[in-house]
Amino acid sequence: MKSFVHAALLLTTITSFAAAGNFSFTGTFTADSDIQYFTFTAIGGGTTIRTLSYGGGTNSAGATISQGGFDPLINVFLSDGSQAGSADNSAIVGGCDGGITAGTNGCLDSYYNFALAGGTYTVALTQFDNTNIGTLGDGFSSSHSCSASFCDSFDLVTARSGGWAVDIITADSAAIISGTPEPTTFLLMACGLTALLFGSRKIC
């Protein structure tokens, strides 16, 4: 019996990793205070979130992304709305993280690659300095420091575009969210996914 349980757990683990994929999203902001939300389910460990629209490059779907987008900021939230982490400029000594192309002022595309436990997360994409106040429900605040609608943190005058491109790499699922998400929504989603996984009607 114990061998059967071990085999079943191993099969579940293999299936989880086999289901992991890469997800690419593109769009355009119309105002510097816009926020684009995404949800994704991490398999645990290695999910990467990156932007490509500032410096340009090739996304995980193989599409060419033009450079010229705004200075992006990524915030990641847990299913209860608390912040898991954030990523802004991805400059490192000698180049850029994760193969990100250097833009006009260096590596201003964002690269998030912190270890995440398996579960459902929310990502918020904004233009720097439209930063989160606290939890997901607390919202965001910006000084609107750009004289152009879209710019970068080193050049507040030169106009850039509202175009954005986001890759969520090595996740079970990922999707764009329309409107402002509520943390309780994601708790219910996580509950539903757990129920489907374990075939139970009374998990939550």
Side-chain angles (χ1 to χ4, degrees), residues 155-202:
D155 182 353
L156 302 179
V157 178
T158 304
R160 298 182 69 86
S161 79
W164 55 262
V166 171
D167 279 348
I168 300 177
I169 300 169
T170 316
D172 273 343
S173 62
I176 284 180
I177 302 171
S178 298
T180 305
E182 294 292 335
T184 50
T185 301
F186 294 102
L187 287 171
L188 290 172
M189 284 174 60
C191 175
L193 288 171
T194 305
L196 283 172
L197 241 151
F198 293 99
S200 171
R201 297 179 185 176
K202 289 284 185 183

Coordinates of all heavy atoms in Angstrom, one line a residue, residues 155-202:
D155 N 15.2 59.6 -17.1 CA 14.9 60.6 -18.1 C 13.4 60.9 -18.0 O 12.6 60.2 -18.6 CB 15.3 60.1 -19.4 CG 15.0 61.2 -20.5 OD1 14.5 62.2 -20.2 OD2 15.4 60.9 -21.7
L156 N 13.1 62.0 -17.2 CA 11.7 62.3 -17.0 C 11.0 63.2 -18.1 O 9.9 63.5 -18.0 CB 11.5 63.0 -15.6 CG 12.1 62.3 -14.4 CD1 11.9 63.1 -13.1 CD2 11.4 60.9 -14.3
V157 N 11.8 63.5 -19.1 CA 11.3 64.4 -20.1 C 11.1 63.7 -21.5 O 10.0 63.9 -22.1 CB 12.4 65.5 -20.4 CG1 11.9 66.5 -21.5 CG2 12.6 66.3 -19.1
T158 N 12.0 62.8 -21.9 CA 11.8 62.1 -23.2 C 10.7 61.2 -23.1 O 10.6 60.3 -22.3 CB 13.1 61.4 -23.5 OG1 14.2 62.3 -23.5 CG2 13.0 60.7 -24.9
A159 N 9.8 61.3 -24.1 CA 8.6 60.5 -24.1 C 8.9 59.1 -24.6 O 9.7 58.9 -25.5 CB 7.5 61.1 -25.1
R160 N 8.3 58.1 -23.9 CA 8.4 56.7 -24.4 C 6.9 56.2 -24.6 O 6.0 57.0 -24.3 CB 9.1 55.9 -23.3 CG 10.6 56.3 -23.1 CD 11.3 55.4 -22.1 NE 11.5 54.1 -22.6 CZ 12.6 53.7 -23.4 NH1 13.5 54.6 -23.7 NH2 12.7 52.5 -23.8
S161 N 6.8 55.0 -25.1 CA 5.4 54.5 -25.4 C 4.8 53.9 -24.2 O 5.4 53.6 -23.2 CB 5.5 53.5 -26.5 OG 5.9 52.3 -26.1
G162 N 3.4 53.6 -24.3 CA 2.7 52.9 -23.2 C 2.7 51.4 -23.4 O 2.0 50.7 -22.7
G163 N 3.5 50.9 -24.4 CA 3.5 49.5 -24.7 C 4.2 48.7 -23.6 O 5.2 49.2 -23.0
W164 N 3.6 47.5 -23.3 CA 4.3 46.6 -22.3 C 4.3 45.2 -22.8 O 3.4 44.8 -23.6 CB 3.5 46.7 -20.9 CG 2.1 46.5 -20.9 CD1 1.1 47.4 -20.9 CD2 1.4 45.2 -20.9 NE1 -0.2 46.8 -20.9 CE2 0.0 45.4 -20.9 CE3 1.9 43.9 -20.9 CZ2 -0.9 44.4 -20.9 CZ3 0.9 42.8 -20.9 CH2 -0.4 43.1 -20.9
A165 N 5.2 44.4 -22.3 CA 5.3 43.0 -22.6 C 5.8 42.3 -21.4 O 6.8 42.6 -20.8 CB 6.3 42.8 -23.8
V166 N 5.0 41.2 -21.0 CA 5.4 40.5 -19.7 C 5.4 39.0 -20.1 O 4.5 38.5 -20.8 CB 4.3 40.7 -18.7 CG1 4.5 39.8 -17.5 CG2 4.3 42.2 -18.2
D167 N 6.4 38.3 -19.6 CA 6.5 36.9 -19.6 C 6.4 36.3 -18.2 O 7.0 36.8 -17.3 CB 7.9 36.4 -20.2 CG 8.0 36.5 -21.7 OD1 7.0 36.6 -22.4 OD2 9.1 36.3 -22.2
I168 N 5.6 35.3 -18.1 CA 5.6 34.5 -16.8 C 6.0 33.1 -17.2 O 5.4 32.4 -17.9 CB 4.1 34.5 -16.2 CG1 3.7 35.9 -15.9 CG2 4.1 33.6 -15.0 CD1 2.3 36.0 -15.4
I169 N 7.2 32.7 -16.7 CA 7.9 31.6 -17.2 C 7.9 30.5 -16.1 O 8.2 30.7 -14.9 CB 9.4 32.0 -17.6 CG1 9.3 33.0 -18.7 CG2 10.2 30.7 -18.0 CD1 10.7 33.7 -19.0
T170 N 7.6 29.2 -16.5 CA 7.5 28.1 -15.7 C 6.4 28.2 -14.6 O 6.7 28.3 -13.4 CB 8.9 27.8 -15.0 OG1 10.0 27.9 -15.9 CG2 8.9 26.3 -14.4
A171 N 5.2 28.2 -15.1 CA 4.0 28.3 -14.2 C 3.0 27.2 -14.7 O 3.1 26.8 -15.9 CB 3.4 29.7 -14.2
D172 N 2.1 26.8 -13.8 CA 1.1 25.9 -14.2 C 0.1 26.6 -15.1 O -0.5 26.0 -16.0 CB 0.4 25.3 -13.0 CG 1.1 24.0 -12.5 OD1 1.9 23.5 -13.3 OD2 0.9 23.6 -11.3
S173 N -0.2 27.8 -14.8 CA -1.2 28.6 -15.5 C -1.0 30.1 -15.3 O -0.3 30.4 -14.3 CB -2.6 28.2 -15.1 OG -2.8 28.6 -13.8
A174 N -1.4 30.9 -16.2 CA -1.3 32.4 -16.1 C -2.4 33.0 -16.9 O -2.7 32.5 -18.0 CB 0.1 32.8 -16.5
A175 N -2.9 34.2 -16.5 CA -3.9 34.9 -17.2 C -3.9 36.3 -16.8 O -3.5 36.7 -15.8 CB -5.3 34.3 -16.9
I176 N -4.5 37.2 -17.8 CA -4.7 38.6 -17.5 C -5.9 38.7 -16.6 O -6.9 38.0 -16.9 CB -4.8 39.4 -18.8 CG1 -3.4 39.6 -19.4 CG2 -5.5 40.7 -18.6 CD1 -3.4 40.3 -20.7
I177 N -5.9 39.7 -15.7 CA -7.1 40.0 -14.9 C -7.6 41.4 -15.4 O -6.9 42.3 -15.5 CB -6.8 40.1 -13.4 CG1 -6.2 38.8 -12.9 CG2 -8.0 40.5 -12.6 CD1 -5.7 38.8 -11.5
S178 N -8.9 41.4 -15.6 CA -9.5 42.7 -16.0 C -10.1 43.4 -14.7 O -10.7 42.7 -13.9 CB -10.7 42.5 -16.9 OG -10.2 42.0 -18.2
G179 N -9.8 44.6 -14.5 CA -10.2 45.3 -13.2 C -9.3 45.1 -12.1 O -8.2 44.5 -12.2
T180 N -9.7 45.5 -10.9 CA -8.9 45.4 -9.7 C -9.2 44.1 -9.0 O -10.4 43.9 -8.6 CB -9.1 46.6 -8.8 OG1 -8.8 47.8 -9.5 CG2 -8.2 46.5 -7.5
P181 N -8.3 43.2 -8.8 CA -8.6 42.0 -8.1 C -8.8 42.1 -6.6 O -8.2 43.0 -6.0 CB -7.4 41.1 -8.4 CG -6.3 42.1 -8.5 CD -6.9 43.3 -9.1
E182 N -9.6 41.2 -6.0 CA -9.8 41.2 -4.6 C -9.1 39.9 -4.1 O -9.2 38.9 -4.7 CB -11.3 41.1 -4.2 CG -12.1 42.3 -4.6 CD -11.7 43.5 -3.7 OE1 -11.2 43.3 -2.6 OE2 -11.9 44.7 -4.2
P183 N -8.3 40.0 -3.0 CA -7.6 38.9 -2.5 C -8.5 37.6 -2.2 O -8.1 36.5 -2.5 CB -7.0 39.4 -1.1 CG -6.9 40.8 -1.3 CD -8.0 41.2 -2.2
T184 N -9.7 37.8 -1.8 CA -10.7 36.7 -1.5 C -10.9 35.9 -2.8 O -11.1 34.7 -2.8 CB -12.0 37.2 -0.9 OG1 -12.5 38.3 -1.7 CG2 -11.8 37.7 0.5
T185 N -10.9 36.6 -3.9 CA -11.2 35.9 -5.2 C -10.1 34.9 -5.4 O -10.4 33.8 -5.9 CB -11.1 37.0 -6.4 OG1 -12.1 37.9 -6.1 CG2 -11.4 36.3 -7.7
F186 N -8.9 35.2 -5.1 CA -7.8 34.3 -5.4 C -7.7 33.2 -4.3 O -7.3 32.0 -4.6 CB -6.4 35.0 -5.4 CG -6.4 36.0 -6.6 CD1 -6.6 37.3 -6.4 CD2 -6.2 35.5 -7.9 CE1 -6.7 38.2 -7.5 CE2 -6.3 36.3 -8.9 CZ -6.5 37.7 -8.8
L187 N -8.2 33.4 -3.1 CA -8.3 32.4 -2.2 C -9.3 31.3 -2.6 O -9.1 30.1 -2.5 CB -8.8 32.9 -0.8 CG -7.7 33.7 0.0 CD1 -8.3 34.4 1.2 CD2 -6.6 32.8 0.4
L188 N -10.4 31.8 -3.2 CA -11.5 30.9 -3.8 C -10.9 30.1 -4.9 O -11.2 28.9 -5.1 CB -12.7 31.7 -4.1 CG -13.5 32.2 -3.0 CD1 -14.6 33.1 -3.5 CD2 -14.1 31.1 -2.1
M189 N -10.1 30.8 -5.8 CA -9.5 30.1 -7.0 C -8.6 29.0 -6.5 O -8.6 27.9 -7.0 CB -8.8 31.1 -7.8 CG -9.7 32.0 -8.7 SD -8.7 33.3 -9.6 CE -7.6 32.3 -10.5
A190 N -7.8 29.4 -5.5 CA -6.8 28.4 -5.0 C -7.5 27.2 -4.4 O -7.2 26.0 -4.6 CB -5.9 29.0 -4.0
C191 N -8.6 27.5 -3.7 CA -9.5 26.4 -3.1 C -10.0 25.5 -4.2 O -10.0 24.3 -4.1 CB -10.6 27.1 -2.3 SG -11.7 25.9 -1.6
G192 N -10.6 26.1 -5.2 CA -11.2 25.4 -6.3 C -10.1 24.5 -7.0 O -10.4 23.3 -7.3
L193 N -8.9 25.0 -7.3 CA -7.9 24.2 -7.9 C -7.5 23.1 -7.0 O -7.2 21.9 -7.5 CB -6.6 25.1 -8.2 CG -6.8 26.1 -9.3 CD1 -5.6 27.1 -9.3 CD2 -6.9 25.4 -10.6
T194 N -7.4 23.3 -5.7 CA -7.0 22.2 -4.7 C -8.1 21.1 -4.8 O -7.8 19.9 -4.8 CB -6.9 22.8 -3.3 OG1 -6.0 23.8 -3.3 CG2 -6.5 21.7 -2.3
A195 N -9.4 21.5 -4.8 CA -10.5 20.6 -4.8 C -10.4 19.7 -6.1 O -10.6 18.5 -6.0 CB -11.8 21.3 -4.7
L196 N -10.1 20.3 -7.2 CA -10.0 19.6 -8.5 C -8.8 18.6 -8.4 O -9.0 17.5 -8.9 CB -9.8 20.6 -9.6 CG -11.0 21.3 -10.1 CD1 -10.6 22.4 -11.2 CD2 -12.0 20.4 -10.7
L197 N -7.7 19.0 -7.8 CA -6.5 18.2 -7.7 C -6.8 16.9 -6.9 O -6.4 15.8 -7.2 CB -5.4 19.0 -7.1 CG -4.2 19.2 -8.0 CD1 -3.5 20.5 -7.6 CD2 -3.2 18.0 -7.8
F198 N -7.5 17.1 -5.7 CA -7.7 16.0 -4.8 C -9.0 15.4 -4.9 O -9.4 14.4 -4.2 CB -7.4 16.5 -3.4 CG -6.0 16.9 -3.2 CD1 -5.6 18.2 -3.2 CD2 -5.0 15.9 -2.9 CE1 -4.2 18.5 -3.0 CE2 -3.7 16.2 -2.8 CZ -3.3 17.5 -2.8
G199 N -9.9 15.9 -5.8 CA -11.2 15.2 -6.1 C -12.1 15.3 -4.9 O -12.9 14.4 -4.7
S200 N -12.0 16.4 -4.1 CA -12.9 16.5 -2.9 C -13.8 17.6 -3.1 O -13.5 18.6 -3.7 CB -12.0 16.7 -1.7 OG -12.8 17.0 -0.6
R201 N -15.0 17.5 -2.6 CA -16.0 18.6 -2.6 C -16.0 19.5 -1.4 O -16.6 20.5 -1.3 CB -17.4 18.0 -2.8 CG -17.5 17.3 -4.1 CD -18.9 16.7 -4.3 NE -19.1 15.9 -5.4 CZ -20.1 15.2 -5.7 NH1 -21.2 15.2 -4.9 NH2 -20.2 14.4 -6.8
K202 N -15.3 19.0 -0.3 CA -15.3 19.7 0.9 C -13.9 20.1 1.4 O -13.5 19.8 2.5 CB -16.0 18.8 2.0 CG -17.5 18.6 1.8 CD -18.2 19.9 2.2 CE -19.7 19.7 2.1 NZ -20.5 20.9 2.4

